[in-house]
Amino acid sequence: MAGELNEGSVPPYYREVYEAIRSKIEERVQVEVFQRLLSRTDLPSAVQSQIAEHVDYTDGFLSKLSLYKALALIALAQQGKQPSPKLLENCIQGKPFNYSHFKISVYRRYTDFDVFHELLLQRFAYRMVPALPPKRMLKGVLTSMSERDFIEGRRRALGRFINLVARHPFFSEDELVKTFLTFNGSDVQVKMRDACKKMGDEFMTNTMATLAKDYLPADIQAQFSSSRELIRNIHNSFHKLRDRAEKMAERSKENATDLLMFGRELSTLGSDGSPIPSLASSQSTWGILRQSLKGLSVEFALLADKGAQQGRREEDDVVEKLNLFLDLLQSYRDLCERHEKGVLHEHQRALQKYGMMKRQMMSATVQPKEQVSVEQLESRIVQQENAIQTMELRNYFSLFCLHQETQLIFTYLPITSHILGAFVNSQVQGHQEMGAVWNDLQQKLGCLFGVDEMQSPPLTPK
């Protein structure tokens, strides 16, 4: 059962085992099933016991996430790595989950999305939370986009938002996310707020929160800076790729419109019943040629349809995938800004406040004051020291989460090959389909006008 493993991922074999077991269950798997699987590995019994200790289960059942982490630990242990909470936290990066098994449709207004997004930021301030598209077109901004195009763009963006949230390994099993995706009632906002109040933010519920410092690399700041710069460059390049792909898709649709109009003009030309002057009728074949032009609009309409299909393929298979990845990259950049402007700024401000209190305390000891005021100042200093300690823990936890989210970005980078494959496939399919219609049109022209007639006539009389 050994397999190649990169840190933060799970080998294909274990993914297959996971899918095979998961496909036969709804929400969970019996502990006995996992124990039988574990006992059939080649791991020492002591290591098997360690793995079992790190696997969470309730009432004799493992959740999907626990099952996946357990399989990942088996793979890591077979490579000689020591099963630990740190490995558990890293291994779950590689498997995005979805909610297709719920088979439920729910109605959500934009305000529901807005509240959900707000609560996600409160609950997971140290994670990549995708941004929401604007509710309305910005007033006073010059744009050629129609209201219909804006609504369609917003619908696509909301779909990408849900896609990224549901696939995030730390969001997918959270009660807040489950409530938004599955609750079928009119008071979903109240339900979400209640769920968020009960849980608090991730720092309060994550078992790694107070241990984060011990699992951070010594050069975490240097790694963070270099990764951030690399991801910023990738983001800029993907922005340019998306813009070019959008232009190509737009050109395909414009080409489809031009082909349709070209065919209609040929039909109009062929339907012209104006008599041919006797001066030209003796040598001109225009009358016969004109009758033949009417039938060509069918092929040009088919070409236009193929061109429109090509434009839609480029939008759905290429542009939309690029937009999805851009949304993810932008959420990473937003997270970096939250880390610097939020946790670091609050920590620095708390230290400044603490220093001011210490100076006041020293001044009070030099210049005797009332005992009550000195005791109050001492109490405030103790409270501030506790606040600083909490800030330091949050700062390390924020860096720990940033480290994990950076790994997640690099896990998604191979999507580049899928996007390129989709781009090439769309072009091959489009050119083959349109090429077949052009070939049919060429043969039809040969039958209508003859091979000699299809050659370019001289522009000047001999």
Side-chain angles (χ1 to χ4, degrees):
M1 292 176 67
E4 184 179 354
L5 180 70
N6 295 321
E7 186 175 1
S9 63
V10 178
Y13 174 83
Y14 294 90
R15 294 179 187 272
E16 293 170 7
V17 172
Y18 169 80
E19 294 294 344
I21 297 177
R22 191 191 71 156
S23 65
K24 296 177 173 58
I25 59 175
E26 290 298 323
E27 284 286 330
R28 51 191 187 166
V29 63
Q30 290 183 344
V31 173
E32 289 80 7
V33 175
F34 169 69
Q35 289 175 339
R36 287 200 300 270
L37 177 66
L38 182 60
S39 65
R40 297 183 66 178
T41 65
D42 55 353
L43 295 171
S45 57
V47 176
Q48 292 185 26
S49 298
Q50 287 179 318
I51 292 175
E53 289 176 0
H54 294 308
V55 176
D56 298 323
Y57 61 91
T58 306
D59 298 328
F61 289 90
L62 278 77
S63 69
K64 294 184 304 175
L65 186 58
S66 294
L67 171 63
Y68 189 76
K69 291 192 293 185
L71 292 173
L73 278 182
I74 292 175
L76 290 161
Q78 286 180 328
Q79 292 191 348
K81 298 183 180 181
Q82 189 71 17
S84 69
K86 180 181 179 181
L87 285 179
L88 265 179
E89 291 295 329
N90 286 337
C91 76
I92 63 175
Q93 308 269 354
K95 178 65 180 177
F97 291 93
N98 60 63
Y99 281 78
S100 60
H101 66 274
F102 281 113
K103 299 186 184 303
I104 184 173
S105 296
V106 293
Y107 174 78
R108 294 289 179 262
R109 299 174 299 171
Y110 184 89
T111 53
D112 298 330
F113 277 91
D114 201 23
V115 171
F116 178 51
H117 182 257
E118 173 193 338
L119 295 175
L120 267 181
L121 283 172
Q122 293 177 17
R123 174 97 175 96
F124 296 102
Y126 310 126
R127 302 289 178 185
M128 293 185 296
V129 178
L132 282 179
K135 183 178 182 180
R136 297 183 180 88
M137 295 178 66
L138 298 177
K139 294 182 179 179
V141 178
L142 294 176
T143 177
S144 59
M145 181 183 294
S146 66
E147 183 73 17
R148 180 178 178 181
D149 290 340
F150 172 80
I151 293 174
E152 172 60 19
R154 188 182 67 182
R155 183 192 67 79
R156 287 176 177 264
L158 290 174
R160 296 194 302 270
F161 170 81
I162 287 296
N163 196 347
L164 289 173
V165 168
R167 288 176 177 272
H168 194 290
F170 286 95
F171 298 168
S172 59
E173 295 294 321
D174 191 75
E175 193 62 32
L176 172 63
V177 176
K178 286 184 178 181
T179 300
F180 181 78
L181 293 178
T182 64
F183 181 73
N184 201 354
S186 59
D187 54 345
V188 64
Q189 296 183 21
V190 175
K191 290 287 184 181
M192 289 191 296
R193 292 188 189 278
D194 289 344
C196 205
K197 286 178 183 178
K198 292 177 183 177
M199 294 180 291
D201 75 341
E202 188 186 9
F203 179 79
M204 304 299 294
T205 58
N206 193 306
T207 56
M208 294 296 296
T210 57
L211 306 173
K213 181 180 178 180
D214 300 332
Y215 295 105
L216 286 174
D219 59 342
I220 181 61
Q221 292 291 354
Q223 285 191 31
F224 170 56
S225 297
S226 60
S227 297
R228 185 180 185 182
E229 182 63 25
L230 175 60
I231 292 172
R232 181 187 293 114
N233 294 336
I234 292 172
H235 183 251
N236 292 336
S237 293
F238 267 83
H239 237 299
K240 294 175 182 177
L241 289 172
R242 192 277 313 275
D243 291 345
R244 293 297 176 184
E246 279 185 337
K247 289 181 178 179
M248 284 188 281
E250 191 62 33
R251 281 199 299 270
S252 293
K253 291 186 287 185
E254 290 175 353
N255 184 47
T257 301
D258 290 339
L259 285 168
L260 183 62
M261 298 307 298
F262 191 91
R264 287 179 179 175
E265 287 300 327
L266 285 177
S267 180
T268 300
L269 188 61
S271 301
D272 185 8
S274 302
I276 300 175
S278 56
L279 181 65
S281 61
S282 59
Q283 295 182 345
S284 176
T285 59
W286 174 242
I288 300 174
L289 179 62
R290 185 173 61 182
Q291 292 294 323
S292 303
L293 294 178
K294 289 192 295 185
L296 298 180
S297 62
V298 175
E299 279 73 20
F300 278 97
L302 185 56
L303 284 169
D305 182 61
K306 297 296 183 184
Q309 290 179 26
Q310 173 69 7
R312 288 192 293 271
R313 270 196 303 269
E314 290 168 347
E315 278 188 337
D316 297 338
D317 298 343
V318 183
V319 176
E320 195 61 18
K321 286 185 174 66
L322 287 167
N323 278 327
L324 179 69
F325 193 48
L326 281 172
D327 290 348
L328 180 68
L329 293 172
Q330 183 60 52
S331 67
Y332 179 81
R333 297 182 69 168
D334 293 342
L335 173 62
C336 293
E337 289 186 11
R338 284 201 304 276
H339 171 74
E340 292 181 339
K341 295 180 180 179
V343 178
L344 291 181
H345 179 71
E346 290 176 7
H347 188 204
Q348 188 176 29
R349 189 169 57 184
L351 288 173
Q352 291 174 349
K353 186 176 179 181
Y354 177 72
M356 182 183 67
M357 288 181 177
K358 292 289 285 185
R359 288 191 296 271
Q360 290 176 350
M361 187 65 185
M362 292 175 63
S363 175
T365 56
V366 175
Q367 302 175 5
K369 295 184 178 180
E370 294 183 9
Q371 185 66 25
V372 176
S373 63
V374 174
E375 291 178 354
Q376 289 176 345
L377 188 57
E378 289 177 342
S379 175
R380 288 171 58 197
I381 288 176
V382 171
Q383 291 176 358
Q384 191 63 17
E385 286 175 344
N386 292 333
I388 289 174
Q389 185 178 14
T390 301
M391 284 291 177
E392 288 177 346
L393 290 175
R394 281 187 174 271
N395 181 43
Y396 286 124
F397 183 63
S398 179
L399 282 171
F400 179 76
C401 293
L402 258 176
H403 185 57
Q404 290 184 321
E405 298 300 278
T406 303
Q407 289 180 322
L408 187 58
I409 288 289
F410 285 108
T411 300
Y412 271 98
L413 279 178
I415 196 176
T416 307
S417 61
H418 297 292
I419 295 172
L420 285 174
F423 172 67
V424 172
N425 290 338
S426 70
Q427 297 301 315
V428 169
Q429 182 178 351
H431 283 83
Q432 285 179 343
E433 290 180 355
M434 294 191 73
V437 180
W438 283 117
N439 286 331
D440 291 343
L441 182 57
Q442 186 180 45
Q443 294 177 10
K444 184 174 182 178
L445 289 177
C447 295
L448 289 174
F449 309 130
V451 177
D452 294 337
E453 293 294 330
M454 292 179 61
Q455 304 300 319
S456 299
L459 297 179
T460 56
K462 296 181 180 179

